[in-house]
Amino acid sequence: MSDITKKSLVGALKTTADLLDLLGVGDDPFRAQAFRSAARSLEGVPDEIEALVARDFAGIPKVGKAIATDLAQYVQTGVFGPLEDAASLIPAGVLSLFRVRGLGPKKIRALWDAGIDSLEGLREACRDGRVAALKGFGAKSAASFLEAVEFALSAQERQHLSTALEVVEALCRRLDGLEPRIAGDVRRGLDTVRVARVTVTAPPEQVQERLAGVVEGLQPVEKKPLFAGRVDGVPVEIAYAPTPDIRGALDLMMGGSTAYREALREDAKARGYDFSGRGLKQGGQVLDTPTEADAMRVLGLPLRPAEYRDPEHDDVWPTLPHPDRLVTVSDLRGMLHTHSTWSDGAASIADMAAETVRLGHGFLGTGDHSRAAHYANGLSIERLQAQLKEVRELQAAGVPVVAGAEVDILDDGSLDYPDEVLAELDYVVASVHSLFTLDAARQTERLIRAASHPLVTILGHPTGRLELRRPGYALDLDAVLAACEANNTVVEINANAYRLDLDWRVALRWRGRVKFAINTDAHVPSGLSDAKYGVMVARKAGLTPEDVVNTLEREAFLEFVARQRAGRA
């Protein structure tokens, strides 16, 4: 079986639907919706890909025989036929327009019809007035798209952490037996990744043989012990140590930021050594340093943990906890801020709770959208109370679940439910889902008011950013976090790889001053596994289990919320 994941399947179905909408679907106006419905249904199925393949994708609601056949072929060949067919009819530049926030198939079609067929072309058309003149756009839209397209152009050379992690894990499986190790940006847990890197112990011929047919455009890099190429469009580098004695030096060179590597070389040079990916040398002789610790011991330097090898750590890393003390996925007990079929999720509360337990966590915290999020099937007060009744019945039946809601922060900083309704919930996540373009002063005031609300437990995805798609809204983030500190409001690290909000750099600065919650924001059972990305953010920020409230067991978490509310009374 190929390294196709369930996430890949869902993504292929959704992308196919978008491309069919862009093209127009001829005599079958429901074809695009068929792929979109299949994606949503597949996303909600608890089975992993092996079980789905074993039954040829049969029996999944909304997945017809033709789509099931295409999915099975995709797993075997790595090619999803309907997607390739649709993409072949669309210029690559037009496809790139999907990276622009706010552009869906209909608007992209209008741009394409107007001769705007690339990111660069869209930028120029926004600047010279052509977009503003198009029907359905206008000057305000043109200004918004100009900002978004410039962001997309600046971000196009990087990948989401989740994408790069999937690539390096697949490479490690392919290189099994050669001591493959994750390196580079992924090892350090950066929120976005330029190149997915792996290191191995093997001669170059063996590495090249293993990667033949797997890495596109595989080529040796001149004067360096590595190969470069692409996997599914992601740039990759595979560095090799021909013999074990130089592996420690190689891992250090491939395991830090550029500034870290240069500083290490300079420190080595000052001590009479030559340090590179080809080994630690003294007087031209290669020294035996099979591990990073060995190399640093020879140099007489402390070993800096991989999580702490970025410039932001330079002055503080010796004061941060040892990696053995940093939070791990297994430390997380409560899966807070999750969604179900009550709003825009794809599984029931009971199914989400069952997956939480299967993954080894302690309890589920519901977090469906409030009534202002009508686009996400947000709950009216009456529906919220019906959901609360279901949660209490599940609790009585022994299901480990606590009742919460993700409540919209309205334009003035008030919340989408009245206090008497919020008080019935076990905990409350307050989040912004609208009015992203408020000026910084109003946005800051809005979030401070919400963070100071006596019934808000957690401030959700505090900056509203979407990695590689849109920056966070303008605000004085430190002022908002100061309000969280003053009111003992927990700050969310949203573990969804497209958010990773709060940024680790900010969490590093606020470590010890506020409490954090690593929340998946999961809309499907498989989304609960995204906790690993949030944990990578937390580890870069030097967070231990004591800094993270959802490392508490269920009763301890409820006691925390009770103390939090009592302290504000």
Side-chain angles (χ1 to χ4, degrees), residues 377-428:
N377 193 27
L379 277 63
S380 64
I381 292 176
E382 292 74 20
R383 291 182 64 223
L384 177 65
Q385 290 172 334
Q387 185 195 60
L388 185 57
K389 180 175 181 291
E390 177 183 308
V391 170
R392 299 306 183 212
E393 290 171 350
L394 289 170
Q395 289 172 333
V399 177
V401 60
V402 298
E406 185 184 20
V407 183
D408 268 37
I409 299 172
L410 304 181
D411 58 350
D412 63 353
S414 61
L415 301 185
D416 195 24
Y417 291 135
D419 287 2
E420 59 269 21
V421 172
L422 296 175
E424 295 181 48
L425 298 169
D426 295 327
Y427 79 107
V428 174

Side-chain angles (χ1 to χ4, degrees), residues 13 24 32 61 114 136 170 336 340 425 454 508:
L13 290 166
L336 306 176
S340 73
L425 298 169
L508 176 66

